[in-house]
Amino acid sequence: MTSAVLERGSERQERVRTFLLRSLGSGQVSHAYLFCGSSAGDIEATARAFAQALVCPDGGCGSCGECQRVVHGTHPDVRWLEPESAQKGYLVEQVRGLIEDSALTPVRARRKVYVIRSAERLGAQAANALLKTLEEPADDVVFLLLAPSADVVLTTVRSRCSVVPFATADASAEAARVAAATGADEPTARALIAVAGTADGARALLADDARLQLRERILSMLGSIDTASDRELIALADALVASAGDASADATSEEEARAAEIDADFLSRAALKDAESRRKRAEAAKSRQALAEAVRVVEVALEDALALTIGPDLPLLDETHAALARALAARGTETVLCALDAAERASADLYRPATPALVLQVMFLRLKEALCPSSAQ
Ligand SMILES: [Zn+2]
């Protein structure tokens, strides 16, 4: 299936367009996408074109009645949502209404599409109400969440979406700034922005040798996954979990330093309990963040591989590991998509009450199964 409207989109977003065209073509449309980036115009236009592709009988011709209705905002199966409250963002009632609506069958099309603008304005309560539906919507429902960047969206929401980063107008300028500030070369800066999500995050990552080394270990494991034994994969998962533990220990000492500033004699029991649960939360968040970064390293490599299976000339997020991306791409689109699925599942599982070591072990074993199907016993 081709989508005329998607193919006409912005040159700058070639990577995004080819990714979406590929999902349409292979029939592997996710139930939730997070379109993120600072190019709001491109994001809005792509969301509209993708919605057309999803509801048009010709896959997004741009001229039929269905496509026209999407453009005019009058298609009953394509709903655009804005936060209802200026102060609170999305209201829980608003989200409940959306969930009820999503359970109804489409009016005209085969699918229903919900475009959630300003997804960063889904607060904890509204997001909680949405999570289950976001994870397992009716088969014919697709959510498109739009946000200025992935890291302003609640992680519980983000982890349930297929994240689609849009190129920013000044992506190379941003990489150049990070490079100038840190002494790294520009391709490295660009790759680390992709891993960390933001320029600030990339700077922090560049200043942390331990994290950089773990990243290299993960990438080199991906490169030699054919010969990696299950035991080695599990050892790598455990090493990542141990280092995430170190990160959370840093969080603990920050909290302890804060507690020490308060005269303990004056601390009521409630305040102590409060400090304790704050410490635990900070610890858990820090360690989850470290593990999510490890998963993201895998995703960036696989996303690049996927891009190469679509078009050999597409720009890569990580040019410094282009050889790895090529080797992964050589295994074929289906294989890469399967591996990406393993990584995406891990990134969602990190936010469930599961043992983190287990989540990473399972991810690495699934990656091996996906990338080297012949090795499965
Ligand atoms: Zn059409």
Side-chain angles (χ1 to χ4, degrees):
M1 180 163 48
T2 57
S3 166
V5 277
L6 260 178
E7 275 162 13
R8 279 202 298 271
S10 151
E11 185 74 17
R12 186 166 61 213
Q13 306 302 344
E14 195 188 353
R15 213 183 132 106
V16 168
R17 286 188 294 121
T18 34
F19 170 73
L20 294 176
L21 284 166
R22 171 67 67 160
S23 349
L24 287 167
S26 65
Q28 293 191 324
V29 175
S30 285
H31 49 255
Y33 293 88
L34 172 58
F35 288 1
C36 51
S38 56
S39 3
D42 287 353
I43 289 183
E44 185 92 7
T46 306
R48 186 169 299 110
F50 194 48
Q52 286 177 311
L54 290 170
V55 300
C56 164
D58 292 321
C61 65
S63 48
C64 72
E66 304 303 304
C67 284
Q68 288 302 311
R69 283 187 180 87
V70 175
V71 170
H72 297 133
T74 55
H75 198 297
D77 297 319
V78 178
R79 289 192 49 198
W80 294 76
L81 294 111
E82 307 265 3
E84 249 167 39
S85 158
Q87 286 98 43
K88 296 182 185 160
Y90 282 96
L91 301 175
V92 181
E93 304 86 87
Q94 191 181 2
V95 169
R96 292 214 179 103
L98 183 164
I99 293 170
E100 277 170 29
D101 191 83
S102 75
L104 305 172
T105 47
V107 178
R108 308 180 53 99
R110 284 176 301 129
R111 288 199 184 91
K112 298 176 76 158
V113 182
Y114 293 88
V115 187
I116 302 182
R117 288 187 175 117
S118 308
E120 74 281 10
R121 305 215 59 212
L122 280 164
Q125 269 189 308
N128 265 339
L130 185 62
L131 290 185
K132 206 163 175 298
T133 308
L134 207 50
E135 194 160 51
E136 287 171 348
D139 283 344
D140 47 11
V141 171
V142 177
F143 287 101
L144 305 180
L145 283 72
L146 318 185
S149 90
D151 59 327
V152 292
V153 177
L154 284 178
T155 39
T156 47
V157 171
R158 188 177 60 207
S159 64
R160 284 164 172 83
C161 298
S162 194
V163 179
V164 184
F166 279 61
T168 49
D170 58 349
S172 46
E174 201 173 46
R177 275 197 297 277
V178 170
T182 58
D185 56 86
E186 279 187 37
T188 301
R190 200 169 316 123
L192 294 182
I193 292 174
V195 169
T198 60
D200 284 344
R203 249 179 245 138
L205 181 48
L206 274 161
D208 193 331
D209 281 338
R211 280 163 71 198
L212 290 173
Q213 276 166 21
L214 283 173
R215 171 171 173 263
E216 289 304 331
R217 264 186 81 180
I218 296 169
L219 293 172
S220 102
M221 184 281 296
L222 274 179
S224 59
I225 196 150
D226 289 304
T227 54
S229 68
D230 288 359
R231 185 182 298 187
E232 283 166 329
L233 295 173
I234 288 170
L236 177 55
D238 291 345
L240 289 164
V241 171
S243 87
D246 293 346
S248 71
D250 291 348
T252 309
S253 49
E254 281 164 29
E255 276 299 333
E256 274 166 1
R258 193 175 314 162
E261 281 171 21
I262 311 167
D263 189 346
D265 290 342
F266 293 98
L267 277 181
S268 68
R269 192 178 299 180
L272 275 172
K273 212 173 148 198
D274 189 48
E276 171 67 9
S277 59
R278 204 168 54 218
R279 184 187 63 77
K280 281 198 180 137
R281 276 200 306 275
E283 225 176 81
K286 205 73 178 251
S287 122
R288 211 174 321 154
Q289 218 177 351
L291 295 172
E293 180 175 295
V295 176
R296 186 67 198 137
V297 167
V298 172
E299 284 177 341
V300 167
L302 291 168
E303 283 169 17
D304 274 346
L306 185 63
L308 289 176
T309 67
I310 295 166
D313 300 324
L314 285 177
L316 298 184
L317 299 169
D318 185 1
E319 295 286 352
T320 65
H321 292 85
L324 171 64
R326 272 195 298 275
L328 292 169
R331 295 169 195 249
T333 315
E334 288 308 309
T335 303
V336 174
L337 280 173
C338 250
L340 253 179
D341 183 61
E344 277 165 12
R345 275 206 259 173
S347 110
D349 286 345
L350 281 179
Y351 295 92
R352 293 207 179 87
T355 314
L358 207 58
V359 172
L360 285 200
Q361 287 174 6
V362 168
M363 175 182 78
F364 284 132
L365 295 174
R366 276 193 185 138
L367 283 172
K368 178 159 169 112
E369 209 176 282
L371 292 169
C372 340
S374 57
S375 74
Q377 289 95 7

